[in-house]
Amino acid sequence: MARISLTPPRSLFLRIVQWYSKRSYGRVLDPVGALGHNPRVLRTDIRFELSVAKWNQLNEDLKALAVMATAASIGCSWCMDFGHWESRRRGMDARKVRDVPVWRESDVYSPLERDVMEYAEAMTANPPEVGDDLAGRLLAALGEAAFVELTAMVAVENLRSRMNAALGLTSQGFKDHCEVPAPATRTAVTG
């Protein structure tokens, strides 16, 4: 249960954000309701997220795995729920999305994907536990620009997940409704 009301005072700005959220995601995202209590924080968060969405040096699947491994490490069920839905909507392999919390035991990931998730967990540890060998492998595989983006994405997800977890935001049911068209046949696939 959320630790803060998800129905903040309605302003014109909040109504516009809620309309956009419903149009884009089928419902108002709980973080919008929580952050709506402080319009400056909500406005800054939106600008920040729009900027982050333009980053394009890291492969989208690797980015999603890093984000979800971070969220799983922190224990943010809202982030895992939304990340699952968002990754499946983009067409990411359902097994890879599902197995993120148990990636070490799963056989669906490449060595690079495993390194990305290990890096996300190591960065998320308190204090961070990133080793030179792991960072060196990722830098060699990704290049400098993508490595910096990976590092920044894990830091961004730490912000999101820690804020959502602290506010008591939990799964909003996105994973349960991850019907997406399959790229080849355009038929529905259940997440």
Side-chain angles (χ1 to χ4, degrees):
M1 176 133 208
R3 293 185 177 103
I4 188 168
S5 163
L6 300 178
T7 54
R10 292 190 39 124
S11 64
L12 176 60
F13 172 66
L14 183 62
R15 288 194 311 266
I16 291 168
V17 173
Q18 289 173 330
W19 170 83
Y20 179 81
S21 182
K22 284 180 189 175
R23 192 184 102 199
S24 299
Y25 308 109
R27 64 190 88 176
V28 176
L29 302 179
D30 285 350
V32 167
L35 297 183
H37 289 282
N38 187 324
R40 285 185 176 171
V41 171
L42 178 59
R43 188 174 286 114
T44 300
D45 185 66
I46 290 168
R47 282 194 309 261
F48 179 68
E49 289 294 345
L50 290 171
S51 293
V52 169
K54 294 177 184 175
W55 297 351
N56 63 4
Q57 297 299 304
L58 182 63
N59 169 281
E60 287 295 320
D61 283 353
L62 293 177
K63 193 180 300 190
L65 291 173
V67 164
M68 290 185 65
T70 302
S73 184
I74 291 169
C76 179
S77 66
W78 192 93
C79 300
M80 289 298 295
D81 178 47
F82 186 75
H84 185 284
W85 174 80
E86 192 174 46
S87 296
R88 290 296 300 135
R89 184 176 72 158
R90 277 191 322 89
M92 190 172 178
D93 182 326
R95 294 170 303 157
K96 288 185 177 186
V97 175
R98 180 194 66 229
D99 284 0
V100 167
V102 294
W103 66 267
R104 283 181 172 81
E105 292 82 39
S106 178
D107 62 358
V108 299
Y109 301 108
S110 71
L112 177 57
E113 291 167 333
R114 290 177 177 286
D115 281 348
V116 163
M117 290 185 285
E118 182 179 348
Y119 187 73
E121 288 181 357
M123 262 190 75
T124 301
N126 193 10
E129 300 171 350
V130 176
D132 290 340
D133 289 342
L134 175 59
R137 285 194 311 271
L138 285 166
L139 189 54
L142 300 173
E144 291 175 340
F147 180 70
V148 168
E149 189 168 316
L150 169 62
T151 303
M153 281 309 306
V154 173
V156 166
E157 187 56 33
N158 264 272
L159 169 71
R160 293 172 182 150
S161 290
R162 291 178 188 282
M163 187 163 49
N164 289 341
L167 291 172
L169 304 182
T170 58
S171 173
Q172 203 171 336
F174 282 97
K175 181 180 176 185
D176 300 333
H177 298 39
C178 70
E179 304 258 344
V180 295
T185 62
R186 306 296 290 173
T187 59
V189 176
T190 302

